[in-house]
Short mmCIF file of all heavy atoms in Angstrom, two decimals:
data_model
loop_
_atom_site.label_atom_id
_atom_site.label_comp_id
_atom_site.label_asym_id
_atom_site.label_seq_id
_atom_site.Cartn_x
_atom_site.Cartn_y
_atom_site.Cartn_z
N MET A 22 16.93 -20.83 53.13
CA MET A 22 16.51 -19.48 52.87
C MET A 22 16.92 -19.13 51.43
O MET A 22 18.07 -19.33 51.05
CB MET A 22 17.20 -18.57 53.87
CG MET A 22 16.63 -17.21 53.94
SD MET A 22 17.38 -16.24 55.27
CE MET A 22 16.60 -16.95 56.69
N ILE A 23 16.01 -18.62 50.63
CA ILE A 23 16.29 -18.27 49.24
C ILE A 23 16.13 -16.77 49.06
O ILE A 23 15.13 -16.18 49.48
CB ILE A 23 15.38 -19.05 48.27
CG1 ILE A 23 15.65 -20.55 48.40
CG2 ILE A 23 15.61 -18.58 46.84
CD1 ILE A 23 14.80 -21.41 47.51
N TYR A 24 17.13 -16.16 48.42
CA TYR A 24 17.12 -14.74 48.10
C TYR A 24 17.15 -14.58 46.59
O TYR A 24 17.79 -15.38 45.90
CB TYR A 24 18.36 -14.05 48.67
CG TYR A 24 18.42 -14.03 50.16
CD1 TYR A 24 19.05 -15.05 50.86
CD2 TYR A 24 17.87 -12.98 50.89
CE1 TYR A 24 19.11 -15.05 52.25
CE2 TYR A 24 17.93 -12.96 52.27
CZ TYR A 24 18.55 -13.99 52.94
OH TYR A 24 18.61 -13.98 54.30
N SER A 25 16.51 -13.55 46.09
CA SER A 25 16.58 -13.21 44.67
C SER A 25 17.54 -12.06 44.49
O SER A 25 17.55 -11.11 45.28
CB SER A 25 15.20 -12.81 44.14
OG SER A 25 14.34 -13.91 44.18
N TYR A 26 18.39 -12.16 43.45
CA TYR A 26 19.36 -11.11 43.17
C TYR A 26 19.67 -11.09 41.68
O TYR A 26 20.18 -12.08 41.14
CB TYR A 26 20.64 -11.33 43.98
CG TYR A 26 21.73 -10.31 43.71
CD1 TYR A 26 21.65 -9.04 44.25
CD2 TYR A 26 22.82 -10.62 42.92
CE1 TYR A 26 22.62 -8.10 44.02
CE2 TYR A 26 23.81 -9.69 42.69
CZ TYR A 26 23.71 -8.44 43.23
OH TYR A 26 24.69 -7.50 43.00
N ASP A 27 19.31 -10.03 41.01
CA ASP A 27 19.68 -9.79 39.62
C ASP A 27 19.37 -10.97 38.70
O ASP A 27 20.19 -11.38 37.89
CB ASP A 27 21.16 -9.42 39.55
CG ASP A 27 21.53 -8.70 38.26
OD1 ASP A 27 20.64 -8.12 37.61
OD2 ASP A 27 22.72 -8.73 37.90
N GLY A 28 18.19 -11.55 38.84
CA GLY A 28 17.77 -12.65 37.98
C GLY A 28 18.24 -14.02 38.43
O GLY A 28 18.07 -15.00 37.70
N PHE A 29 18.82 -14.10 39.61
CA PHE A 29 19.30 -15.37 40.16
C PHE A 29 18.64 -15.63 41.50
O PHE A 29 18.26 -14.71 42.22
CB PHE A 29 20.82 -15.34 40.37
CG PHE A 29 21.62 -15.39 39.11
CD1 PHE A 29 21.83 -14.26 38.35
CD2 PHE A 29 22.15 -16.59 38.66
CE1 PHE A 29 22.57 -14.30 37.19
CE2 PHE A 29 22.88 -16.65 37.50
CZ PHE A 29 23.10 -15.50 36.75
N ASP A 30 18.50 -16.89 41.84
CA ASP A 30 18.07 -17.31 43.17
C ASP A 30 19.30 -17.81 43.92
O ASP A 30 20.09 -18.58 43.37
CB ASP A 30 17.03 -18.43 43.10
CG ASP A 30 15.70 -17.96 42.54
OD1 ASP A 30 15.40 -16.76 42.66
OD2 ASP A 30 14.97 -18.81 42.00
N ILE A 31 19.46 -17.34 45.14
CA ILE A 31 20.58 -17.75 45.98
C ILE A 31 20.00 -18.46 47.20
O ILE A 31 19.16 -17.92 47.89
CB ILE A 31 21.40 -16.53 46.46
CG1 ILE A 31 21.87 -15.69 45.28
CG2 ILE A 31 22.58 -17.00 47.30
CD1 ILE A 31 22.45 -14.35 45.70
N GLU A 32 20.47 -19.67 47.42
CA GLU A 32 20.03 -20.44 48.58
C GLU A 32 21.23 -20.66 49.50
O GLU A 32 22.25 -21.22 49.08
CB GLU A 32 19.47 -21.79 48.14
CG GLU A 32 19.07 -22.68 49.27
CD GLU A 32 18.67 -24.07 48.81
OE1 GLU A 32 18.83 -24.40 47.64
OE2 GLU A 32 18.20 -24.82 49.68
N SER A 33 21.14 -20.19 50.72
CA SER A 33 22.21 -20.47 51.68
C SER A 33 21.87 -21.76 52.41
O SER A 33 20.70 -22.06 52.66
CB SER A 33 22.39 -19.32 52.66
OG SER A 33 21.23 -19.12 53.43
N PHE A 34 22.89 -22.54 52.72
CA PHE A 34 22.68 -23.79 53.44
C PHE A 34 23.90 -24.09 54.29
O PHE A 34 25.02 -23.69 53.98
CB PHE A 34 22.37 -24.94 52.49
CG PHE A 34 23.48 -25.26 51.52
CD1 PHE A 34 24.38 -26.28 51.79
CD2 PHE A 34 23.63 -24.54 50.34
CE1 PHE A 34 25.40 -26.59 50.91
CE2 PHE A 34 24.65 -24.83 49.45
CZ PHE A 34 25.54 -25.84 49.73
N GLU A 35 23.66 -24.78 55.38
CA GLU A 35 24.73 -25.14 56.30
C GLU A 35 25.29 -26.50 55.88
O GLU A 35 24.60 -27.52 55.95
CB GLU A 35 24.22 -25.18 57.73
CG GLU A 35 25.32 -25.22 58.75
CD GLU A 35 24.81 -25.03 60.18
OE1 GLU A 35 23.59 -25.22 60.42
OE2 GLU A 35 25.63 -24.70 61.03
N ALA A 36 26.53 -26.51 55.41
CA ALA A 36 27.15 -27.73 54.92
C ALA A 36 27.81 -28.52 56.04
O ALA A 36 28.13 -29.69 55.88
CB ALA A 36 28.18 -27.40 53.85
N GLY A 37 28.03 -27.89 57.15
CA GLY A 37 28.62 -28.50 58.33
C GLY A 37 28.36 -27.56 59.48
O GLY A 37 27.90 -26.45 59.28
N LYS A 38 28.65 -27.96 60.67
CA LYS A 38 28.34 -27.11 61.82
C LYS A 38 29.06 -25.77 61.69
O LYS A 38 30.28 -25.70 61.73
CB LYS A 38 28.74 -27.80 63.11
CG LYS A 38 28.33 -27.03 64.34
CD LYS A 38 28.37 -27.90 65.57
CE LYS A 38 28.01 -27.12 66.80
NZ LYS A 38 26.62 -26.78 66.91
N GLY A 39 28.29 -24.71 61.49
CA GLY A 39 28.83 -23.36 61.37
C GLY A 39 29.53 -23.07 60.05
O GLY A 39 30.22 -22.07 59.93
N LEU A 40 29.34 -23.92 59.04
CA LEU A 40 29.97 -23.73 57.73
C LEU A 40 28.88 -23.50 56.69
O LEU A 40 28.21 -24.45 56.26
CB LEU A 40 30.81 -24.96 57.36
CG LEU A 40 31.94 -25.31 58.31
CD1 LEU A 40 32.58 -26.62 57.91
CD2 LEU A 40 32.96 -24.19 58.36
N TRP A 41 28.71 -22.26 56.30
CA TRP A 41 27.64 -21.89 55.39
C TRP A 41 28.16 -21.75 53.96
O TRP A 41 29.24 -21.22 53.72
CB TRP A 41 27.00 -20.59 55.85
CG TRP A 41 26.21 -20.80 57.09
CD1 TRP A 41 26.66 -20.74 58.38
CD2 TRP A 41 24.83 -21.15 57.16
NE1 TRP A 41 25.65 -21.04 59.25
CE2 TRP A 41 24.50 -21.28 58.53
CE3 TRP A 41 23.85 -21.36 56.21
CZ2 TRP A 41 23.23 -21.61 58.95
CZ3 TRP A 41 22.57 -21.69 56.64
CH2 TRP A 41 22.28 -21.81 58.00
N HIS A 42 27.38 -22.24 53.03
CA HIS A 42 27.67 -22.16 51.61
C HIS A 42 26.46 -21.54 50.91
O HIS A 42 25.41 -21.35 51.53
CB HIS A 42 27.95 -23.55 51.02
CG HIS A 42 29.19 -24.19 51.55
ND1 HIS A 42 30.38 -24.13 50.89
CD2 HIS A 42 29.41 -24.89 52.68
CE1 HIS A 42 31.29 -24.78 51.59
NE2 HIS A 42 30.72 -25.26 52.68
N ALA A 43 26.61 -21.28 49.62
CA ALA A 43 25.49 -20.76 48.85
C ALA A 43 25.38 -21.51 47.53
O ALA A 43 26.39 -21.91 46.94
CB ALA A 43 25.67 -19.27 48.59
N ARG A 44 24.17 -21.70 47.09
CA ARG A 44 23.87 -22.34 45.81
C ARG A 44 23.20 -21.28 44.94
O ARG A 44 22.28 -20.59 45.39
CB ARG A 44 22.93 -23.53 46.04
CG ARG A 44 22.62 -24.34 44.83
CD ARG A 44 21.81 -25.58 45.20
NE ARG A 44 22.64 -26.50 45.98
CZ ARG A 44 22.30 -26.97 47.18
NH1 ARG A 44 21.18 -26.62 47.75
NH2 ARG A 44 23.11 -27.81 47.81
N ILE A 45 23.68 -21.14 43.71
CA ILE A 45 23.17 -20.11 42.80
C ILE A 45 22.53 -20.80 41.60
O ILE A 45 23.10 -21.73 41.04
CB ILE A 45 24.33 -19.23 42.29
CG1 ILE A 45 25.10 -18.60 43.44
CG2 ILE A 45 23.81 -18.16 41.33
CD1 ILE A 45 26.41 -17.97 43.02
N LYS A 46 21.34 -20.33 41.20
CA LYS A 46 20.74 -20.78 39.94
C LYS A 46 19.94 -19.63 39.35
O LYS A 46 19.51 -18.71 40.06
CB LYS A 46 19.88 -22.02 40.12
CG LYS A 46 18.67 -21.84 40.99
CD LYS A 46 17.93 -23.15 41.12
CE LYS A 46 16.78 -23.00 42.08
NZ LYS A 46 16.04 -24.23 42.25
N ARG A 47 19.77 -19.66 38.06
CA ARG A 47 19.01 -18.60 37.41
C ARG A 47 17.54 -18.73 37.80
O ARG A 47 17.00 -19.83 37.90
CB ARG A 47 19.16 -18.69 35.90
CG ARG A 47 20.53 -18.22 35.46
CD ARG A 47 20.72 -18.23 33.98
NE ARG A 47 19.57 -17.75 33.24
CZ ARG A 47 19.60 -17.40 31.97
NH1 ARG A 47 20.72 -17.47 31.30
NH2 ARG A 47 18.52 -16.98 31.36
N ALA A 48 16.90 -17.61 38.02
CA ALA A 48 15.50 -17.61 38.43
C ALA A 48 14.59 -18.17 37.33
O ALA A 48 13.56 -18.75 37.62
CB ALA A 48 15.07 -16.20 38.82
N ASP A 49 15.00 -17.99 36.06
CA ASP A 49 14.17 -18.49 34.95
C ASP A 49 14.43 -19.97 34.65
O ASP A 49 13.92 -20.51 33.68
CB ASP A 49 14.38 -17.64 33.70
CG ASP A 49 15.80 -17.68 33.16
OD1 ASP A 49 16.64 -18.48 33.66
OD2 ASP A 49 16.09 -16.91 32.23
N GLN A 50 15.25 -20.64 35.47
CA GLN A 50 15.55 -22.07 35.38
C GLN A 50 16.44 -22.44 34.19
O GLN A 50 16.70 -23.62 33.97
CB GLN A 50 14.27 -22.92 35.37
CG GLN A 50 13.37 -22.70 36.57
CD GLN A 50 14.06 -23.02 37.88
OE1 GLN A 50 14.73 -24.03 38.01
NE2 GLN A 50 13.92 -22.14 38.85
N ASN A 51 16.88 -21.47 33.37
CA ASN A 51 17.82 -21.76 32.30
C ASN A 51 19.20 -21.97 32.90
O ASN A 51 19.51 -21.42 33.96
CB ASN A 51 17.86 -20.61 31.29
CG ASN A 51 16.63 -20.55 30.44
OD1 ASN A 51 16.06 -21.58 30.07
ND2 ASN A 51 16.19 -19.34 30.11
N PRO A 52 20.04 -22.74 32.22
CA PRO A 52 21.38 -22.97 32.78
C PRO A 52 22.25 -21.72 32.67
O PRO A 52 22.04 -20.87 31.82
CB PRO A 52 21.94 -24.11 31.93
CG PRO A 52 21.15 -24.09 30.68
CD PRO A 52 19.80 -23.52 31.02
N VAL A 53 23.23 -21.65 33.55
CA VAL A 53 24.26 -20.63 33.47
C VAL A 53 25.33 -21.17 32.54
O VAL A 53 25.73 -22.33 32.65
CB VAL A 53 24.87 -20.34 34.87
CG1 VAL A 53 26.02 -19.38 34.77
CG2 VAL A 53 23.81 -19.84 35.82
N VAL A 54 25.80 -20.35 31.60
CA VAL A 54 26.81 -20.78 30.65
C VAL A 54 28.12 -20.08 31.00
O VAL A 54 28.19 -18.85 31.03
CB VAL A 54 26.40 -20.44 29.20
CG1 VAL A 54 27.47 -20.91 28.22
CG2 VAL A 54 25.06 -21.06 28.86
N ILE A 55 29.15 -20.87 31.29
CA ILE A 55 30.48 -20.34 31.58
C ILE A 55 31.46 -21.03 30.64
O ILE A 55 31.61 -22.26 30.69
CB ILE A 55 30.88 -20.57 33.05
CG1 ILE A 55 29.88 -19.87 33.98
CG2 ILE A 55 32.31 -20.08 33.30
CD1 ILE A 55 30.12 -20.13 35.45
N ASP A 56 32.08 -20.26 29.77
CA ASP A 56 33.03 -20.79 28.80
C ASP A 56 32.44 -21.96 28.00
O ASP A 56 33.11 -22.96 27.76
CB ASP A 56 34.34 -21.23 29.48
CG ASP A 56 35.11 -20.05 30.05
OD1 ASP A 56 34.96 -18.93 29.54
OD2 ASP A 56 35.86 -20.27 31.01
N GLY A 57 31.17 -21.82 27.62
CA GLY A 57 30.51 -22.82 26.80
C GLY A 57 29.99 -24.04 27.56
O GLY A 57 29.43 -24.94 26.97
N VAL A 58 30.19 -24.08 28.86
CA VAL A 58 29.72 -25.20 29.67
C VAL A 58 28.44 -24.79 30.40
O VAL A 58 28.38 -23.71 30.97
CB VAL A 58 30.80 -25.63 30.70
CG1 VAL A 58 30.31 -26.79 31.54
CG2 VAL A 58 32.10 -25.99 29.99
N LEU A 59 27.42 -25.66 30.35
CA LEU A 59 26.13 -25.37 30.97
C LEU A 59 26.10 -25.90 32.40
O LEU A 59 26.49 -27.04 32.66
CB LEU A 59 25.01 -26.04 30.18
CG LEU A 59 24.92 -25.69 28.69
CD1 LEU A 59 23.86 -26.54 28.02
CD2 LEU A 59 24.62 -24.22 28.51
N PHE A 60 25.64 -25.05 33.31
CA PHE A 60 25.50 -25.43 34.71
C PHE A 60 24.07 -25.13 35.14
O PHE A 60 23.61 -23.99 34.99
CB PHE A 60 26.45 -24.61 35.60
CG PHE A 60 27.90 -24.85 35.33
CD1 PHE A 60 28.58 -24.07 34.42
CD2 PHE A 60 28.57 -25.86 36.00
CE1 PHE A 60 29.93 -24.28 34.17
CE2 PHE A 60 29.92 -26.09 35.76
CZ PHE A 60 30.60 -25.29 34.84
N SER A 61 23.37 -26.12 35.69
CA SER A 61 22.01 -25.88 36.18
C SER A 61 22.06 -25.11 37.49
O SER A 61 21.20 -24.27 37.77
CB SER A 61 21.23 -27.17 36.34
OG SER A 61 21.89 -28.03 37.24
N THR A 62 23.06 -25.41 38.33
CA THR A 62 23.28 -24.67 39.58
C THR A 62 24.78 -24.52 39.78
O THR A 62 25.58 -25.31 39.26
CB THR A 62 22.70 -25.38 40.82
OG1 THR A 62 23.33 -26.65 40.96
CG2 THR A 62 21.20 -25.54 40.73
N LEU A 63 25.14 -23.51 40.54
CA LEU A 63 26.53 -23.29 40.93
C LEU A 63 26.58 -23.27 42.44
O LEU A 63 25.71 -22.68 43.08
CB LEU A 63 27.05 -21.96 40.38
CG LEU A 63 27.04 -21.77 38.87
CD1 LEU A 63 27.39 -20.34 38.51
CD2 LEU A 63 28.01 -22.73 38.23
N GLU A 64 27.58 -23.89 42.99
CA GLU A 64 27.75 -23.85 44.43
C GLU A 64 29.00 -23.05 44.73
O GLU A 64 30.06 -23.32 44.18
CB GLU A 64 27.86 -25.26 45.01
CG GLU A 64 26.60 -26.05 44.73
CD GLU A 64 26.21 -26.99 45.82
OE1 GLU A 64 26.81 -26.97 46.89
OE2 GLU A 64 25.27 -27.75 45.57
N VAL A 65 28.84 -22.03 45.56
CA VAL A 65 29.96 -21.21 45.96
C VAL A 65 30.79 -22.03 46.93
O VAL A 65 30.28 -22.51 47.93
CB VAL A 65 29.49 -19.88 46.58
CG1 VAL A 65 30.66 -19.05 47.02
CG2 VAL A 65 28.63 -19.11 45.58
N GLY A 66 32.05 -22.23 46.63
CA GLY A 66 32.86 -23.19 47.34
C GLY A 66 33.54 -22.70 48.60
O GLY A 66 34.48 -23.31 49.06
N PHE A 67 33.13 -21.60 49.15
CA PHE A 67 33.73 -21.10 50.38
C PHE A 67 32.84 -21.42 51.56
O PHE A 67 31.63 -21.45 51.43
CB PHE A 67 33.95 -19.58 50.31
CG PHE A 67 34.89 -19.19 49.22
CD1 PHE A 67 34.41 -18.66 48.03
CD2 PHE A 67 36.25 -19.37 49.36
CE1 PHE A 67 35.28 -18.30 47.02
CE2 PHE A 67 37.13 -19.01 48.36
CZ PHE A 67 36.63 -18.47 47.18
N ALA A 68 33.42 -21.64 52.70
CA ALA A 68 32.66 -21.88 53.93
C ALA A 68 32.67 -20.60 54.75
O ALA A 68 33.74 -20.10 55.11
CB ALA A 68 33.28 -23.02 54.71
N TRP A 69 31.51 -20.08 55.01
CA TRP A 69 31.37 -18.84 55.78
C TRP A 69 30.79 -19.16 57.14
O TRP A 69 30.13 -20.17 57.32
CB TRP A 69 30.48 -17.86 55.01
CG TRP A 69 31.11 -17.47 53.72
CD1 TRP A 69 30.79 -17.94 52.48
CD2 TRP A 69 32.20 -16.57 53.52
NE1 TRP A 69 31.60 -17.38 51.53
CE2 TRP A 69 32.47 -16.53 52.15
CE3 TRP A 69 32.97 -15.80 54.40
CZ2 TRP A 69 33.49 -15.74 51.62
CZ3 TRP A 69 33.98 -15.01 53.86
CH2 TRP A 69 34.23 -14.99 52.49
N SER A 70 30.98 -18.25 58.06
CA SER A 70 30.54 -18.49 59.43
C SER A 70 29.05 -18.22 59.64
O SER A 70 28.49 -18.61 60.66
CB SER A 70 31.35 -17.64 60.41
OG SER A 70 31.19 -16.26 60.09
N ASP A 71 28.42 -17.54 58.68
CA ASP A 71 26.98 -17.28 58.81
C ASP A 71 26.35 -17.21 57.42
O ASP A 71 27.05 -16.98 56.43
CB ASP A 71 26.70 -16.02 59.63
CG ASP A 71 27.24 -14.76 58.99
OD1 ASP A 71 26.67 -14.31 57.98
OD2 ASP A 71 28.25 -14.23 59.50
N PRO A 72 25.04 -17.39 57.33
CA PRO A 72 24.38 -17.41 56.02
C PRO A 72 24.45 -16.08 55.29
O PRO A 72 24.52 -16.06 54.06
CB PRO A 72 22.94 -17.81 56.34
CG PRO A 72 22.76 -17.59 57.79
CD PRO A 72 24.10 -17.68 58.42
N ASP A 73 24.46 -14.97 56.01
CA ASP A 73 24.52 -13.66 55.34
C ASP A 73 25.84 -13.48 54.60
O ASP A 73 25.87 -12.89 53.51
CB ASP A 73 24.31 -12.54 56.35
CG ASP A 73 22.90 -12.53 56.92
OD1 ASP A 73 21.96 -12.95 56.20
OD2 ASP A 73 22.73 -12.10 58.07
N ALA A 74 26.93 -13.97 55.16
CA ALA A 74 28.22 -13.88 54.49
C ALA A 74 28.23 -14.75 53.23
O ALA A 74 28.79 -14.35 52.20
CB ALA A 74 29.34 -14.30 55.43
N ALA A 75 27.60 -15.91 53.28
CA ALA A 75 27.51 -16.77 52.10
C ALA A 75 26.70 -16.10 51.01
O ALA A 75 27.08 -16.15 49.83
CB ALA A 75 26.89 -18.12 52.48
N ILE A 76 25.61 -15.45 51.37
CA ILE A 76 24.78 -14.72 50.40
C ILE A 76 25.57 -13.58 49.78
O ILE A 76 25.55 -13.38 48.57
CB ILE A 76 23.49 -14.19 51.07
CG1 ILE A 76 22.62 -15.36 51.54
CG2 ILE A 76 22.73 -13.25 50.15
CD1 ILE A 76 22.02 -16.19 50.44
N ALA A 77 26.28 -12.82 50.59
CA ALA A 77 27.07 -11.69 50.10
C ALA A 77 28.13 -12.17 49.10
O ALA A 77 28.34 -11.55 48.05
CB ALA A 77 27.72 -10.94 51.26
N ASP A 78 28.78 -13.29 49.40
CA ASP A 78 29.79 -13.83 48.49
C ASP A 78 29.14 -14.31 47.20
O ASP A 78 29.68 -14.12 46.11
CB ASP A 78 30.55 -14.96 49.17
CG ASP A 78 31.73 -15.42 48.34
OD1 ASP A 78 32.53 -14.55 47.91
OD2 ASP A 78 31.85 -16.62 48.10
N ALA A 79 27.98 -14.91 47.29
CA ALA A 79 27.26 -15.36 46.09
C ALA A 79 26.93 -14.18 45.19
O ALA A 79 27.03 -14.27 43.96
CB ALA A 79 25.99 -16.11 46.48
N LYS A 80 26.55 -13.05 45.77
CA LYS A 80 26.26 -11.85 44.98
C LYS A 80 27.50 -11.38 44.22
O LYS A 80 27.40 -10.96 43.07
CB LYS A 80 25.74 -10.73 45.89
CG LYS A 80 24.35 -11.00 46.41
CD LYS A 80 23.89 -9.89 47.34
CE LYS A 80 22.50 -10.15 47.88
NZ LYS A 80 22.06 -9.07 48.78
N VAL A 81 28.66 -11.48 44.84
CA VAL A 81 29.92 -11.12 44.16
C VAL A 81 30.13 -12.03 42.96
O VAL A 81 30.50 -11.58 41.87
CB VAL A 81 31.11 -11.19 45.14
CG1 VAL A 81 32.43 -11.06 44.40
CG2 VAL A 81 30.99 -10.11 46.20
N HIS A 82 29.86 -13.34 43.13
CA HIS A 82 30.01 -14.28 42.03
C HIS A 82 29.01 -13.99 40.91
O HIS A 82 29.37 -14.08 39.73
CB HIS A 82 29.86 -15.72 42.53
CG HIS A 82 31.04 -16.20 43.29
ND1 HIS A 82 32.17 -16.67 42.70
CD2 HIS A 82 31.28 -16.24 44.63
CE1 HIS A 82 33.05 -17.01 43.62
NE2 HIS A 82 32.53 -16.75 44.81
N ILE A 83 27.79 -13.64 41.25
CA ILE A 83 26.80 -13.29 40.24
C ILE A 83 27.25 -12.06 39.47
O ILE A 83 27.16 -12.01 38.24
CB ILE A 83 25.41 -13.08 40.89
CG1 ILE A 83 24.87 -14.43 41.36
CG2 ILE A 83 24.45 -12.41 39.90
CD1 ILE A 83 23.64 -14.32 42.24
N ASP A 84 27.75 -11.05 40.16
CA ASP A 84 28.25 -9.85 39.48
C ASP A 84 29.37 -10.21 38.52
O ASP A 84 29.45 -9.68 37.41
CB ASP A 84 28.72 -8.82 40.51
CG ASP A 84 27.58 -8.24 41.32
OD1 ASP A 84 26.40 -8.34 40.89
OD2 ASP A 84 27.86 -7.68 42.42
N HIS A 85 30.23 -11.14 38.91
CA HIS A 85 31.32 -11.57 38.04
C HIS A 85 30.78 -12.31 36.82
O HIS A 85 31.27 -12.11 35.70
CB HIS A 85 32.28 -12.47 38.84
CG HIS A 85 33.45 -12.94 38.02
ND1 HIS A 85 34.47 -12.10 37.65
CD2 HIS A 85 33.74 -14.15 37.51
CE1 HIS A 85 35.34 -12.79 36.93
NE2 HIS A 85 34.91 -14.04 36.85
N ILE A 86 29.77 -13.15 37.01
CA ILE A 86 29.15 -13.86 35.88
C ILE A 86 28.56 -12.86 34.91
O ILE A 86 28.69 -13.01 33.70
CB ILE A 86 28.06 -14.84 36.39
CG1 ILE A 86 28.69 -16.01 37.13
CG2 ILE A 86 27.20 -15.34 35.23
CD1 ILE A 86 27.69 -16.86 37.90
N ARG A 87 27.91 -11.83 35.42
CA ARG A 87 27.28 -10.81 34.57
C ARG A 87 28.30 -10.04 33.74
O ARG A 87 27.98 -9.58 32.65
CB ARG A 87 26.49 -9.83 35.42
CG ARG A 87 25.24 -10.40 36.03
CD ARG A 87 24.21 -10.51 34.98
NE ARG A 87 22.94 -10.86 35.57
CZ ARG A 87 21.98 -11.39 34.87
NH1 ARG A 87 22.12 -11.61 33.60
NH2 ARG A 87 20.84 -11.71 35.45
N GLN A 88 29.51 -9.91 34.22
CA GLN A 88 30.55 -9.17 33.50
C GLN A 88 31.12 -9.96 32.33
O GLN A 88 31.74 -9.40 31.46
CB GLN A 88 31.70 -8.79 34.44
CG GLN A 88 31.30 -7.75 35.45
CD GLN A 88 32.41 -7.47 36.44
OE1 GLN A 88 33.47 -8.08 36.40
NE2 GLN A 88 32.16 -6.55 37.35
N ARG A 89 30.90 -11.26 32.30
CA ARG A 89 31.47 -12.11 31.24
C ARG A 89 30.73 -11.94 29.96
O ARG A 89 29.78 -11.77 29.60
CB ARG A 89 31.45 -13.57 31.68
CG ARG A 89 32.30 -13.75 32.88
CD ARG A 89 32.32 -15.19 33.33
NE ARG A 89 33.71 -15.55 33.36
CZ ARG A 89 34.25 -16.60 32.79
NH1 ARG A 89 33.51 -17.44 32.14
NH2 ARG A 89 35.52 -16.84 32.86
#
């Protein structure tokens, strides 16, 4: 399932039984730059019990990226 949020695409995926993660990438396909390092995608490293929680956490990470 892919969601759009503030210029980013968020894809939730089940990494293990009942362990949901999120993958973040820019909607325009350009890399995300963090401290001069280019990332084509970012994976949120927390395991959530459902996909909605993974999406919500990814939105928090996107907001943090925007503040940099």
Side-chain angles (χ1 to χ4, degrees):
M22 194 174 284
I23 298 179
Y24 294 90
S25 293
Y26 178 76
D27 200 22
F29 287 82
D30 291 334
I31 305 169
E32 177 186 7
S33 62
F34 62 98
E35 194 171 19
K38 186 164 178 73
L40 300 173
W41 289 87
H42 294 263
R44 184 174 292 126
I45 303 168
K46 64 182 176 181
R47 287 182 42 165
D49 63 7
Q50 303 301 316
N51 287 324
V53 175
V54 181
I55 300 175
D56 293 334
V58 180
L59 304 174
F60 296 91
S61 59
T62 61
L63 300 172
E64 299 215 8
V65 179
F67 298 103
W69 297 102
S70 60
D71 63 73
D73 293 330
I76 296 292
D78 188 50
K80 289 178 180 180
V81 170
H82 286 278
I83 290 169
D84 292 341
H85 181 72
I86 290 168
R87 290 284 189 200
Q88 291 175 358
R89 298 181 125 231

